[in-house]
């Protein structure tokens, strides 16, 4: 089954609540919360994303999918645990040290939250294959992390395919999420390569009919 996680990065404050209601009514499977710290990536969305996540938690039952594009992973895990997200994903590139990564994974798991590990376009999936048995979701970034509205980088498709083949061959239970530049056309390609959780921001939010675009992406 393919799931859709709507990135609310580009949602303006005015009218935000109505958009959240409409996205839930349109059956987005998750709200994707893009937390940027101004260090790991240039943009800073930490205040607004926390505010949005808190609002959604109050008004909606749709699960939160938190994507941490931050250097101090530990700090933001602690900030988001009280919001009981379904998924917390952090970047391999932000930590690199495998022991430290395992500690962070365990902290997330101890709180009954699913763990995602993200790799940026330049990172080879082989670098994190040894960690796959410990995580629930591999996020293959299909654009450079840091901003919405970019074009999918074609070379990332093969990475999805390779990761999918490895996961299958080793009978692991890891979902593959993709994030960045996902629209009706690219959705088809990444699904064929093995992705089963699709993050989409602009293609959904710029559409007149959320339910229809979400159905088409699925
Ligand atoms: C990029 C973010 C994405 C992005 C997706 O750094 O992680 O979640 O907002 O937006 P679109 O779908 O517009 O590329
Ligand atoms: Zn994201």
């Amino acid at each position: 089954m393919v799931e859709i996680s709507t990135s609310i990065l580009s949602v303006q404050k005015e009218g935000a609540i109505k958009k959240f209601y409409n996205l839930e009514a349109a059956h987005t499977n998750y709200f994707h919360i893009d937390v940027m710290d101004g260090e790991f990536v240039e943009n800073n969305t930490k205040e607004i994303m926390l505010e949005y996540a808190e609002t959604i938690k109050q008004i909606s039952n749709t699960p939160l999918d938190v994507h941490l594009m931050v250097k101090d992973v530990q700090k933001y895990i602690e900030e988001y645990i009280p919001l009981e997200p379904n998924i917390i994903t952090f970047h391999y590139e932000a930590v690199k040290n495998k022991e430290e990564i395992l500690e962070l994974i365990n902290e997330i798991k101890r709180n009954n939250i699913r763990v995602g590990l993200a790799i940026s376009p330049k990172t080879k999936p082989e670098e994190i294959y040894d960690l796959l048995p410990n995580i629930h979701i591999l996020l293959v970034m299909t654009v450079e992390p840091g901003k919405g509205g970019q074009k999918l980088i074609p070379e990332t498709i093969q990475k999805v395919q390779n990761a999918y083949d490895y996961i299958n061959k080793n009978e692991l239970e890891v979902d593959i999420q993709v994030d960045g530049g996902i629209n009706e056309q690219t959705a088809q390609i990444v699904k064929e390569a093995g992705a089963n959780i699709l993050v989409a921001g602009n293609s959904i939010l710029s559409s007149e009919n959320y339910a229809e675009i979400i159905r088409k992406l699925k």
Side-chain angles (χ1 to χ4, degrees):
M1 198 190 58
V2 172
E3 295 185 313
I4 303 298
S5 187
T6 305
S7 163
I8 56 167
L9 182 60
S10 69
V11 171
Q12 301 294 312
K13 267 201 186 184
E14 200 182 316
I17 292 187
K18 185 143 187 275
K19 285 209 167 90
F20 300 153
Y21 273 123
N22 290 343
L23 286 165
E24 176 163 51
H27 299 295
T28 185
N29 296 95
Y30 309 90
F31 285 101
H32 183 84
I33 311 294
D34 281 310
V35 185
M36 304 183 187
D37 64 352
E39 275 187 82
F40 181 71
V41 292
E42 225 174 278
N43 281 333
N44 180 341
T45 63
K46 45 194 182 196
E47 280 87 19
I48 187 77
M49 285 300 131
L50 187 61
E51 191 184 319
Y52 282 176
E54 281 168 348
T55 303
I56 290 167
K57 183 74 194 162
Q58 281 171 21
I59 64 167
S60 161
N61 288 319
T62 301
L64 297 173
D65 162 27
V66 177
H67 177 195
L68 299 177
M69 285 163 276
V70 303
K71 235 182 138 10
D72 190 348
V73 177
Q74 171 90 39
K75 175 175 158 202
Y76 289 89
I77 290 176
E78 273 158 30
E79 190 165 280
Y80 278 89
I81 282 174
L83 295 177
E84 302 171 319
N86 184 276
I87 307 168
I88 294 183
T89 297
F90 63 94
H91 270 261
Y92 167 67
E93 297 83 9
V95 192
K96 285 257 169 140
N97 176 306
K98 296 255 161 117
E99 246 169 70
E100 225 177 293
I101 292 180
L102 284 171
E103 273 170 35
L104 294 165
I105 289 174
N106 287 335
E107 180 174 1
I108 297 172
K109 282 187 182 168
R110 268 200 303 276
N111 288 280
N112 286 322
I113 298 166
R114 292 201 292 158
V115 182
L117 189 64
I119 52 169
S120 292
K122 287 188 194 77
T123 304
K124 294 193 181 72
E126 294 77 31
E127 282 188 51
I128 54 85
Y129 278 172
D130 57 333
L131 292 166
L132 288 175
N134 302 91
I135 63 172
H136 300 97
I137 296 153
L138 172 64
L139 168 52
V140 179
M141 288 301 296
T142 38
V143 299
E144 283 297 338
K147 52 179 191 294
Q150 305 181 73
K151 272 214 174 90
L152 177 139
I153 301 171
E155 288 75 24
T156 58
I157 312 252
Q158 189 60 46
K159 291 172 58 177
V160 173
Q161 184 72 59
N162 291 353
Y164 180 78
D165 292 343
Y166 182 89
I167 287 166
N168 260 358
K169 206 173 90 202
N170 292 279
E171 294 176 11
L172 298 170
E173 277 187 45
V174 180
D175 290 317
I176 301 182
Q177 188 178 49
V178 287
D179 183 8
I182 300 299
N183 54 37
E184 272 180 66
Q185 289 75 39
T186 55
Q188 190 59 36
I189 304 169
V190 292
K191 282 189 284 185
E192 275 165 22
N196 68 327
I197 307 177
L198 275 48
V199 178
N202 283 273
S203 64
I204 295 175
L205 291 166
S206 68
S207 162
E208 298 275 288
N209 186 334
Y210 293 163
E212 189 182 66
I213 179 72
I214 288 173
R215 190 172 45 74
K216 284 183 176 161
L217 290 170
K218 278 186 188 171

